[in-house]
Amino acid sequence: MMKKKKIFHIQLFVKLNPENGLLMGGYIPGLDSTSIAGSSVLKYGARLVPASLWNDSNNNPAPSLMLSHTALPFGLLTHRVLELQPTFGITTDRVADVVKSSLLDGTHRVFGMLLPTPENEAFVRAVLELPTYSVDRYTTSTTAALEGEASSLVDNVASSVFNSQREFFRGAAKTLGDARLDRVYDGKLLRRVEVTQTGIL
């Protein structure tokens, strides 16, 4: 019996969107979108993978059957409309704004939800606690924020130190022609989160 070889070996969670609270995952290193003979395909190394899964109108339900992003505050799986790559978002309760959540209905489609198990919620909560990059200053998404004057002083010092370091290293990188600055964006997780094994339930 032949063992079927995996097409994709690693998927990454890369970002907590500060605007809509989506935890973004499904990013596959080395997977690119391209066009061949007028058709869109995904290229992974020497392999070409059909890209009709997400943009096939036959797979999209009628508007009346679409689930709104406001249906649940946590754990909905969503995908950007017409996005070819298998990236997805998990709704979180980091943005307690029904209006912002409802705006996702115009750009994304809900296609599932997390299984309601303690392990699944614990995983997402753990990722949400990871530090994220901010264009203004280094920050963490922890909900256990300290209060009081001492906290404010520490916060200001940390912000000042971070901004000074950031400007120094960004300036040095530009001088040396380092293009990695293009991969720095607001909400980027500052720890690597890999999904190394997947399966079908």
Side-chain angles (χ1 to χ4, degrees):
M1 181 177 178
M2 294 182 63
K3 185 177 180 181
K4 189 174 181 180
K5 187 175 181 181
K6 291 182 180 179
I7 296 179
F8 308 127
H9 298 281
I10 294 176
Q11 297 185 36
L12 303 175
F13 282 90
V14 298
K15 176 181 181 179
L16 176 61
N17 192 314
E19 293 297 321
N20 53 34
L22 287 181
L23 177 61
M24 302 303 300
Y27 289 84
I28 300 173
L31 181 66
D32 298 307
S33 303
T34 187
S35 179
I36 296 181
S39 298
S40 298
V41 297
L42 298 176
K43 184 178 181 181
Y44 184 69
R47 295 190 178 99
L48 295 178
V49 184
S52 59
L53 175 63
W54 296 111
N55 63 352
D56 187 349
S57 60
N58 293 327
N59 291 331
N60 292 327
S64 60
L65 299 177
M66 292 180 184
L67 187 64
S68 173
H69 291 79
T70 60
L72 289 175
F74 184 91
L76 292 177
L77 303 178
T78 183
H79 182 266
R80 182 179 289 276
V81 176
L82 298 182
E83 171 60 57
L84 296 180
Q85 298 214 19
T87 56
F88 63 92
I90 301 176
T91 58
T92 70
D93 48 15
R94 289 307 164 95
V95 177
D97 189 327
V98 176
V99 174
K100 287 186 177 180
S101 297
S102 65
L103 290 177
L104 287 171
D105 291 343
T107 58
H108 291 67
R109 293 290 181 269
V110 174
F111 65 91
M113 63 177 293
L114 290 177
L115 291 178
T117 65
E119 294 80 9
N120 286 345
E121 182 169 353
F123 167 75
V124 175
R125 295 292 182 191
V127 176
L128 292 178
E129 294 300 326
L130 294 176
T132 59
Y133 180 84
S134 170
V135 295
D136 296 322
R137 56 148 293 176
Y138 173 87
T139 182
T140 63
S141 58
T142 180
T143 56
L146 297 175
E147 298 180 354
E149 294 182 2
S151 172
S152 178
L153 177 61
V154 171
D155 189 66
N156 289 337
V157 171
S159 178
S160 178
V161 171
F162 171 76
N163 287 331
S164 297
Q165 291 178 336
R166 181 193 62 184
E167 293 306 317
F168 172 79
F169 286 112
R170 287 176 69 91
K174 288 181 179 180
T175 301
L176 297 173
D178 193 335
R180 287 178 294 178
L181 285 175
D182 297 334
R183 297 195 293 270
V184 177
Y185 42 82
D186 206 22
K188 180 178 182 179
L189 297 177
L190 297 180
R191 298 292 184 272
R192 187 178 178 91
V193 181
E194 292 184 359
V195 177
T196 58
Q197 183 176 2
T198 59
I200 300 176
L201 297 177

